[in-house]
Amino acid sequence: MSDAAAQTTNMAASVSTPQPFGPALGRFQAQAGAILAQPAIRRSLPMVLGTLALALVAIIYIMTRTPEMRTLFANLPEADKAAVVEALQAANFDPAVDSLTGSVQVPAGDYHKARMMLAGQGLPHSAPEGYELLNDMPLGASRALEQARLKQSQESELARSVAEIASVESARVHLALPEQSVFVRDRTSPTASVFLKLAPGRVLGEAQVRSIVNLVASSVPGLPADRVSVVDQSGTLLTPDSADDEFGESRKRLGFQTKMEDSYRQRLVSLLTPLLGAENFSAEVHLDLDFTESQQTSEAFDKENAVIRSEQGTLQASDGPGAPPRGVPGALSNIAPPPATVQPPQAAAAQPAAAQPAPGEEEAAPAVPSAGPRNESYTRNYEIGKQVSVTRAPMGQVKRVSAAIVLRENGKGMKPKDIQAIEKLVQSTLGFDAARGDVVTVTARPFTDTTPPEQPWYEIDVQENTWIPDVAKIGAALAVFALVFFMVLRPFMKKAMEVPAHTPRIPGALGQPILLNPGDDQAMEAIRQKLRPRGGLPPELLTTTNSYDDKVAVVRMFVAEDTARASNVVRQLLRSEAPQGASNE
């Protein structure tokens, strides 16, 4: 029996692998092999490895995935930006600075925590704006300091209001407020300048510029709108000076002409779109406008209904040298005569009838006309009605209309009757007048394909398409998972689930039923023995034992587990020793 144990020991030693790291590592390997050799472990091992592979892929995806960033502060000064980034890094945050806008960003999940942390440290150290400057006014400040703070607060408030416009990224306002004087001749009007930084790709319209000018002019007392200047970041004056602008009137006229042409073109589009379709015609309109400014004033007088307004006349008469004396002698002759009265010709003509005596009265003696020279002069002023008429011709009158319409020819060709019908419709829409030389041309031509060619996939801009890096990361994670599955997990599962070739075939293992007679306990016990899993003890146990008794115990365990194999080993030993014993005899 000792020889069998030694032979078994030699066979196990020959099968076992060398242990370069000592018996401790060997024992660990033996224990791990024994644990993995258990049937429950072998059945659950593929599921465990699959779960570990999925966890590994998830960890790789999370590590390679860039978190969503959210803007923490925008438009910070460089000093405040450096202080904010340093504080975030010290608090174990992961801040980033946007390469385009320069704003400080943090992961979206840490946004509120970062704001609270920075607020606790008093960051950023930005200067107060607007009327907040007046809150920390020192006690006993001079009048000059108060005026400067008030001016700075007004500028800040106006800048914040202007910056709220959609196309404006930031704004600065400068006010020039002169000191008020009690003398009217010494007073000067204030001025203002507005500097705008527009957002990328944005342009301010004329109406928006006027709104900014009116906003600033209405916020400062005594500031006229023409004393406000607006400049953008490229140095372009958005409010041209009317005194030095040579082309200001030309720009206005050109803008008015463009609006008029767009109005006429929109009429044609509204007319032809339901008939032909939006892509089946092209229309252009040109207008010749008369911008000549003329004014005519006329006055008309009503001569028939003239009324005398005032009249003034003189009458001079003197007696001749041979005239007899007249008058009443006495004191009355020394009295000055009464003032003379002037009678108009109508009154003089009516005087004889009125001067006749009444019945019973004596007729007065006729007056003796003077024999001397006589001079009369009259000045009469008449009130005559007057009518004043002022006629001003409007600017921008249409002198001529020229329209061209091109219809899409689809290969069949359009009939001349249809083209003429469309031409009449266009003339009616535009208010065609042949007397002023209007021209309307309608023709049919094939259109060329203006669709831009598709961009090749290898010319796609990765910076504009931000979804490409995310898709690439997901694809890389899937590739890693596929590599782990096909290179590690699948071969191991295949090897673990395959049936050994020397495993004995069990009756009924392929679906054939096993028929047993009642009371056949020996057959049932045999089937149980055959169905019992055979994990087997690892041969490494023989090498891990130190004493002879331990080795004998391990050999006994081998024999108890696999009796058939042990009997085969003993039989082979007897056969190998039989020739030697015969030769010795």
Side-chain angles (χ1 to χ4, degrees):
M1 188 65 185
S2 60
D3 296 335
Q7 182 68 20
T8 306
T9 304
N10 295 333
M11 292 177 60
S14 61
V15 175
S16 62
T17 56
Q19 302 296 329
F21 297 99
L25 183 60
R27 286 195 298 268
F28 175 76
Q29 291 180 352
Q31 294 175 1
I35 294 174
L36 294 177
Q38 298 179 7
I41 300 298
R42 292 174 64 88
R43 286 193 299 267
S44 60
L45 190 60
M47 183 180 298
V48 173
L49 293 179
T51 304
L52 293 177
L54 291 176
L56 178 62
V57 171
I59 292 173
I60 295 175
Y61 175 75
I62 293 174
M63 294 179 61
T64 57
R65 180 177 176 270
T66 303
E68 181 183 358
M69 307 300 288
R70 184 173 178 181
T71 300
L72 191 63
F73 294 106
N75 302 323
L76 282 179
E78 299 300 330
D80 291 346
K81 191 182 303 182
V84 167
V85 172
E86 184 178 357
L88 291 174
Q89 291 177 351
N92 296 327
F93 288 95
D94 189 12
V97 179
D98 192 354
S99 59
L100 297 179
T101 61
S103 59
V104 180
Q105 297 179 344
V106 293
D110 300 336
Y111 175 77
H112 298 286
K113 294 181 180 179
R115 296 276 296 190
M116 294 173 60
M117 188 272 297
L118 293 176
Q121 298 184 7
L123 293 175
H125 300 291
S126 58
E129 297 181 353
Y131 293 115
E132 299 173 357
L133 295 171
L134 304 178
N135 297 333
D136 56 348
M137 182 73 69
L139 184 64
S142 62
R143 183 176 179 83
L145 180 59
E146 292 179 355
Q147 293 292 336
R149 285 291 183 88
L150 180 60
K151 174 186 172 184
Q152 186 179 4
S153 63
Q154 290 178 344
E155 292 176 348
S156 300
E157 286 292 330
L158 288 174
R160 292 168 64 179
S161 300
V162 174
E164 294 296 328
I165 299 177
S167 301
V168 178
E169 184 175 341
S170 62
R172 299 183 65 182
V173 179
H174 304 278
L175 300 178
L177 305 177
E179 296 183 1
Q180 299 294 333
S181 176
V182 296
F183 301 101
V184 177
R185 62 176 177 269
D186 294 338
R187 295 180 181 177
T188 57
S189 301
T191 59
S193 301
V194 182
F195 178 80
L196 303 177
K197 182 180 179 181
L198 304 179
R202 299 295 185 90
V203 178
L204 284 180
E206 184 178 355
Q208 292 175 310
V209 174
R210 285 200 306 268
S211 65
I212 294 175
V213 171
N214 293 331
L215 174 64
V216 176
S218 302
S219 303
V220 180
L223 176 61
D226 57 354
R227 303 290 294 259
V228 179
S229 302
V230 181
V231 184
D232 61 1
Q233 73 269 25
S234 60
T236 304
L237 183 64
L238 303 180
T239 54
D241 188 2
S242 59
D244 299 333
D245 188 11
E246 300 179 357
F247 304 100
E249 190 66 27
S250 299
R251 280 198 299 268
K252 293 181 180 179
R253 294 180 179 180
L254 182 60
F256 178 75
Q257 182 176 356
T258 303
K259 291 181 179 179
M260 290 288 293
E261 291 176 352
D262 292 340
S263 175
Y264 276 74
R265 190 182 300 108
Q266 187 62 33
R267 295 181 190 176
L268 295 179
V269 171
S270 301
L271 173 68
L272 300 177
T273 298
L275 299 177
L276 304 175
E279 301 295 335
N280 295 328
F281 71 92
S282 177
E284 291 294 334
V285 179
H286 176 72
L287 299 179
D288 291 336
L289 303 180
D290 185 10
F291 292 98
T292 303
E293 184 178 4
S294 61
Q295 181 176 350
Q296 182 180 359
T297 305
S298 61
E299 297 182 0
F301 298 93
D302 189 3
K303 299 179 180 180
E304 296 180 357
N305 299 323
V307 179
I308 296 178
R309 183 176 63 181
S310 63
E311 184 177 11
Q312 185 179 2
T314 58
L315 175 61
Q316 295 179 1
S318 61
D319 296 336
R326 294 191 299 271
V328 180
L332 296 177
S333 300
N334 298 326
I335 298 174
T341 59
V342 179
Q343 294 182 344
Q346 295 82 354
Q351 186 176 3
Q356 292 182 3
E361 295 181 1
E362 295 183 358
E363 184 178 359
V368 180
S370 61
R374 187 176 181 176
N375 185 15
E376 297 181 5
S377 63
Y378 293 93
T379 302
R380 297 181 179 88
N381 295 325
Y382 293 89
E383 187 70 33
I384 303 176
K386 182 177 68 172
Q387 183 179 4
V388 179
S389 177
V390 179
T391 304
R392 179 178 296 175
M395 297 177 59
Q397 290 185 342
V398 179
K399 296 171 58 177
R400 184 183 177 185
V401 179
S402 302
I405 296 92
V406 182
L407 309 178
R408 181 189 291 273
E409 192 177 53
N410 297 325
K412 298 180 180 180
M414 299 189 65
K415 298 180 181 179
K417 186 185 298 184
D418 298 337
I419 295 178
Q420 292 178 2
I422 294 176
E423 185 175 353
K424 290 182 180 180
L425 290 175
V426 172
Q427 291 177 359
S428 302
T429 304
L430 298 179
F432 181 80
D433 188 2
R436 64 185 181 187
D438 294 349
V439 178
V440 174
T441 304
V442 180
T443 183
R445 292 288 186 273
F447 286 9
T448 58
D449 188 10
T450 58
T451 304
E454 296 183 358
Q455 186 179 10
W457 63 270
Y458 52 84
E459 295 182 1
I460 296 177
D461 192 358
V462 180
Q463 296 181 354
E464 294 181 358
N465 300 308
T466 56
W467 56 270
I468 294 179
D470 296 336
V471 173
K473 292 176 182 178
I474 295 174
L478 293 177
V480 172
F481 174 74
L483 184 63
V484 171
F485 179 79
F486 289 103
M487 300 294 293
V488 179
L489 185 59
R490 187 184 179 193
F492 186 83
M493 292 174 60
K494 185 177 180 181
K495 183 177 180 181
M497 297 179 65
E498 68 181 358
V499 180
H502 63 276
T503 302
R505 300 180 60 87
I506 303 172
L510 299 178
Q512 299 177 359
I514 302 174
L515 300 178
L516 298 177
N517 296 324
D520 195 355
D521 297 335
Q522 296 181 358
M524 179 63 69
E525 186 64 25
I527 292 174
R528 289 177 181 176
Q529 293 294 334
K530 293 180 179 179
L531 293 177
R532 187 177 59 182
R534 301 192 180 189
L537 295 176
E540 290 81 2
L541 292 176
L542 296 175
T543 60
T544 57
T545 56
N546 298 325
S547 62
Y548 176 78
D549 295 336
D550 293 341
K551 291 182 180 182
V552 171
V554 170
V555 171
R556 288 177 179 177
M557 291 173 57
F558 274 111
V559 173
E561 184 180 8
D562 196 352
T563 309
R565 187 177 179 183
S567 61
N568 291 332
V569 172
V570 174
R571 191 179 295 111
Q572 291 179 2
L573 290 175
L574 295 175
R575 290 177 183 177
S576 61
E577 292 180 358
Q580 295 179 1
S583 60
N584 291 332
E585 291 178 356

